[in-house]
Amino acid sequence: MTRPSLSAPFEVDLDRMLLDERHSFNPLYRPDIDIQVVAARDGYAQLSVVLPVEMARYFANLLQSTAGLFRSAGHKAKIKQASSKPVDPVELEQQAKYRQDFSNQVCILFDGFIEEGLTRNEAISRTNSTLKEQKHPWASYDLVHQTLRENLRFRKGRKTVK
């Protein structure tokens, strides 16, 4: 059985690229690279990097890759932290109750406005306005619209809240 090739999807000699001093950003080996750090006001420092023109693209790629690496690591850390939190069944039940109460309230308000003869869009807007007047934390047009759609309020033969 042969092992599959682990070559990169692009043709680059990484050893040559990493060890080639033309691509090195170490100012100890490259006298044409000038890095200066100057004290600025309020505890800040000003960093100045002077590179040969042919190295500018490599330097920008290095910074972009580093930023992407740390953004990815931060994202994975957030996922790990969120998935490691213990799940409290009482809290989950309470959250489900809050969602159901909100859904019931939205449907009751909407149905009342429809019975008054308002159009669907007017009823959605008035439902959202009423929730905002009550300072409900979930009062948003999109969430009201989504809740009504989930409760089949936009179809003929609507389901009613019991």
Side-chain angles (χ1 to χ4, degrees):
M1 181 172 166
T2 61
R3 284 180 60 175
S5 173
L6 297 177
S7 64
F10 44 86
E11 295 298 322
V12 174
D13 184 357
L14 289 177
D15 291 332
R16 190 175 133 244
M17 188 178 93
L18 294 174
L19 299 175
D20 186 357
E21 65 181 48
R22 289 180 302 141
H23 300 121
S24 172
F25 296 107
N26 189 340
L28 296 174
Y29 299 116
R30 296 288 311 259
D32 55 344
I33 296 177
D34 184 22
I35 298 177
Q36 295 179 2
V37 179
V38 179
R41 65 187 186 298
D42 299 328
Y44 284 86
Q46 178 180 341
L47 176 65
S48 175
V49 179
V50 179
L51 300 169
V53 173
E54 66 270 5
M55 291 188 74
R57 190 181 100 225
Y58 295 113
F59 188 71
N61 285 341
L62 172 73
L63 293 177
Q64 187 177 20
S65 297
T66 305
L69 173 71
F70 285 110
R71 190 177 307 116
S72 176
H75 181 69
K76 287 185 181 280
K78 284 181 184 177
I79 290 172
K80 180 72 173 171
Q81 183 182 17
S83 64
S84 66
K85 286 184 179 179
V87 178
D88 182 10
V90 174
E91 185 177 331
L92 288 176
E93 187 176 317
Q94 187 66 34
Q95 289 174 0
K97 183 183 179 311
Y98 287 148
R99 281 192 297 275
Q100 187 59 47
D101 290 347
F102 175 74
S103 180
N104 290 342
Q105 185 178 10
V106 166
C107 291
I108 289 169
L109 288 169
F110 178 80
D111 290 344
F113 292 130
I114 291 294
E115 288 175 9
E116 289 177 14
L118 296 177
T119 66
R120 182 177 83 175
N121 289 337
E122 291 171 339
I124 294 170
S125 294
R126 289 278 302 272
T127 301
N128 187 41
S129 297
T130 304
L131 290 169
K132 284 185 178 186
E133 288 170 6
Q134 297 172 358
K135 298 188 185 313
H136 197 289
W138 295 345
S140 76
Y141 184 88
D142 292 333
L143 193 54
V144 168
H145 190 273
Q146 177 185 348
T147 301
L148 291 168
R149 182 170 300 286
E150 288 171 356
N151 285 282
L152 306 176
R153 289 307 194 267
F154 300 149
R155 295 184 180 174
K156 293 181 181 177
R158 290 184 300 210
K159 179 179 155 184
T160 58
V161 176
K162 295 175 184 160

